[in-house]
C-alpha cells in the first residue's frame, strides 16, 4: 500500500515501526571502505574514496563540490519509496524524537553515527566544542565523537593504531609552530600513538587532537556536524587552502579549538572506555559502550540477541546497525530480513516490534542514541 506523508494518520502508523535506512556512502579525502563493503556482503569489496557510510544522519557533508544532500540518511517506506530522515523529523518532531528531546534540542536528531573504514591515515585534526561552535560557527552542536572499533586489518606493515591526544611535554607553542611550518612528521609525533583492537571504545572530546590510522573499521558516534579543523594543508596529493582547513576562521581562531589540558597517557586513560554489561538473559546480552559520562553528547550499546527480543515502546529514538549475524525485524507490516550492514531508525513513537536472530549465531547490533542529558 502507499503511504501519504501528508496524512497524520499514515505518518503516526508509519512511525510506530522501525524504518529501514538506505545505504548512504559519502566521499572523503582518504581511502578505505573495503571492510565496510565486506560487512555488507559485497562480492568484490574494495577501497575507494567512499570509506564511510553515514548510517544515521541528518547532517550533510561539507565536502566541496559534492551534492548538497550528500550525507543525509534516507528512510525506506514500507511501499519502497524513500524520504530523508531529516525531513521526516522536521515534519513530525515529537513522534520521531519525543517531547523531552524536542524541548532540549528542537526538531534535531542531535546525533550522527557512521561506519568508517580507513585504509590510509586520516588527517590530523580536532573539532569545535559546542561553546566554540555557538560563538564562531552559528551552530548549537560541536563535534565531540566516539569510536567503537569493529575490526582491524594490517596495512602498510603497521599494526592498526589511532593517534589520540598530545604527548607528554608538547606545548601549545610547540604545536602551533609545527602547524605553521607544516612539519607533518612532527605533528604526527606530537600525538600519542595507541594500537587498537576490535571491541575497544574511545571517547574523543572536542578539542582533543587525533587521527585514525590505517586499518581501522569502526562505528563513529558523534555530534551532528561535519566541522573539522585540519592541520595538514596537503593531504592525499591535494593542497588545501587555510580557508578550507580552518572552516574559514583563520589560523589563530581555528587553533583555539585545540585543548592542551590533558596530555600524555592520562588522556588515553581517561578516554578509553570500559563497556559495562547491563543485561544478560536468555534473549539478549547488552553492553553499554557509551554511557552516562557521554550522555550529554550521545550514547551507544552493543546488543547480542540470542532469541526473539520483544521491544515495547521506550519513548526514545535510536539508530540500529547490524554488525553481525542474520535475523528479522518483525512488526505489524510483517518481517524484514536483517543482515550485516542493515540499519534502521526507531522513532520515539515506535511501539511493538521484535528482533529475531535466524540460525545459531546471535544477531549483533550497535544501538546509537541521541543525547539524553540536557545541561
Ligand atoms: Zn575527528
Amino acid at each position: 500500500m502507499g503511504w501519504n506523508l501528508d496524512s497524520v494518520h499514515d505518518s503516526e502508523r508509519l512511525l510506530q515501526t522501525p524504518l529501514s535506512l538506505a545505504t548512504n556512502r559519502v566521499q572523503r579525502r582518504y581511502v578505505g571502505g573495503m571492510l565496510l563493503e565486506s560487512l555488507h556482503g559485497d562480492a568484490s569489496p574494495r577501497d575507494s574514496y567512499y570509506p564511510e557510510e553515514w548510517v544515521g544522519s541528518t547532517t550533510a557533508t561539507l565536502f566541496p563540490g559534492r551534492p548538497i544532500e550528500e550525507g543525509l540518511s534516507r528512510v525506506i517506506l514500507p511501499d519502497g519509496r524513500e524520504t530523508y530522515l531529516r525531513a521526516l523529523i522536521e515534519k513530525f518532531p515529537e513522534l520521531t524524537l519525543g517531547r523531552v528531546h524536542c524541548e532540549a534540542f528542537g526538531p534535531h536528531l542531535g546525533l550522527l553515527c557512521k561506519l568508517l573504514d580507513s585504509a590510509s591515515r586520516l588527517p590530523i585534526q580536532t573539532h569545535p566544542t559546542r561553546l566554540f561552535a555557538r560563538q564562531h560557527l552559528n551552530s548549537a552542536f560541536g563535534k565531540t565523537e566516539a569510536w567503537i572499533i569493529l575490526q582491524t586489518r594490517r596495512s602498510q606493515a603497521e599494526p592498526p593504531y589511532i593517534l589520540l591526544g598530545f604527548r607528554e611535554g608538547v606545548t601549545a607553542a610547540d604545536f602551533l609552530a609545527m602547524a605553521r611550518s607544516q612539519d607533518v612528521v612532527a605533528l604526527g609525533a606530537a600525538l600519542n600513538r595507541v594500537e587498537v583492537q576490535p571491541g575497544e571504545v574511545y571517547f574523543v572530546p572536542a578539542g582533543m587532537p587525533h587521527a585514525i590510522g590505517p586499518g581501522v573499521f569502526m562505528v563513529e558516534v558523534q555530534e551532528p556536524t561535519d566541522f573539522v579543523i585540519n592541520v595538514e594543508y596537503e593531504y592525499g596529493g591535494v593542497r588545501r587552502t587555510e580557508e578550507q582547513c580552518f572552516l574559514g576562521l583563520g589560523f589563530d581562531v581555528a587553533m583555539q579549538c585545540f585543548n592542551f589540558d590533558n596530555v600524555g597517557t592520562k588522556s588515553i586513560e581517561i578516554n578509553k572506555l570500559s563497556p559495562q554489561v547491563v543485561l544478560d538473559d536468555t534473549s539478549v546480552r547488552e553492553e553499554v559502550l557509551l554511557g552516562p559520562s557521554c550522555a550529554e553528547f550521545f550514547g551507544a550499546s552493543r546488543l547480542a540477541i540470542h532469541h526473539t527480543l520483544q521491544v515495547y515502546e521506550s519513548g526514545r529514538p535510536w539508530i540500529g546497525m547490524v554488525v553481525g549475524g542474520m535475523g528479522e525485524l518483525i512488526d505489524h507490516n510483517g518481517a524484514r530480513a536483517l543482515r550485516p550492514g542493515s540499519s534502521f531508525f526507531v522513532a520515539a513513537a515506535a511501539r511493538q516490534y521484535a528482533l529475531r536472530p535466524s540460525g545459531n549465531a546471535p544477531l549483533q547490533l550497535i544501538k546509537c542514541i541521541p543525547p539524553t542529558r540536557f545541561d
Side-chain angles (χ1 to χ4, degrees), residues 125-127 143 145 147 204 210 212 220 228:
Q125 57 189 254
T126 197
H127 308 289
K143 190 175 176 306
E145 61 196 41
W147 302 335
V204 188
H210 58 274
I212 297 165
E220 183 176 61
V228 184

Side-chain angles (χ1 to χ4, degrees), residues 101 105 108-111 128-131 133-134 137-144 223-225 227 296-297 371:
H101 180 104
F105 293 109
H108 304 291
L109 179 61
L111 173 75
T129 60
R130 284 184 184 168
L131 180 63
R134 270 196 293 272
L137 298 162
N138 192 29
S139 167
F141 295 102
K143 190 175 176 306
T144 283
E223 290 185 84
T225 77
F227 296 144
E296 153 187 14
F297 302 107

Side-chain angles (χ1 to χ4, degrees), residues 21 43 59-60 108 119 121 156 172 182 200 236 260 274-275 282 301 303 350 362:
L21 292 163
T59 305
H108 304 291
R121 176 177 71 67
Q156 300 164 14
Q182 285 296 292
E200 291 176 346
F260 292 86
S274 301
T282 50
S301 294
L303 303 180

Side-chain angles (χ1 to χ4, degrees), residues 1-5 10 74-83:
M1 66 169 289
W3 291 83
N4 176 6
L5 292 179
D10 273 13
R74 286 160 290 119
V75 301
I76 305 169
L77 304 179
D79 61 14
R81 284 181 301 151
E82 294 183 356
T83 188

Side-chain angles (χ1 to χ4, degrees), residues 197-244:
Q197 308 283 343
E200 291 176 346
V201 182
Y202 294 88
F203 181 64
V204 188
M208 176 166 277
H210 58 274
I212 297 165
V216 184
F217 180 32
M218 64 167 69
V219 172
E220 183 176 61
V221 186
Q222 56 158 98
E223 290 185 84
T225 77
D226 198 20
F227 296 144
V228 184
I229 302 294
N230 272 303
V231 290
E232 289 178 65
Y233 302 169
E234 191 162 335
Y235 179 85
V238 177
R239 187 167 177 85
R240 286 172 293 164
T241 61
E242 269 194 20
E243 172 92 13
Q244 289 170 323

Side-chain angles (χ1 to χ4, degrees), residues 26 41 44-45 74 97 143-144 151 155 161 170 205 292 309 312 328 340:
V26 302
S44 44
R74 286 160 290 119
L97 303 175
K143 190 175 176 306
T144 283
Q151 290 175 48
S155 64
Y161 69 90
V170 173
L309 176 67
Y312 299 94
E328 288 181 320

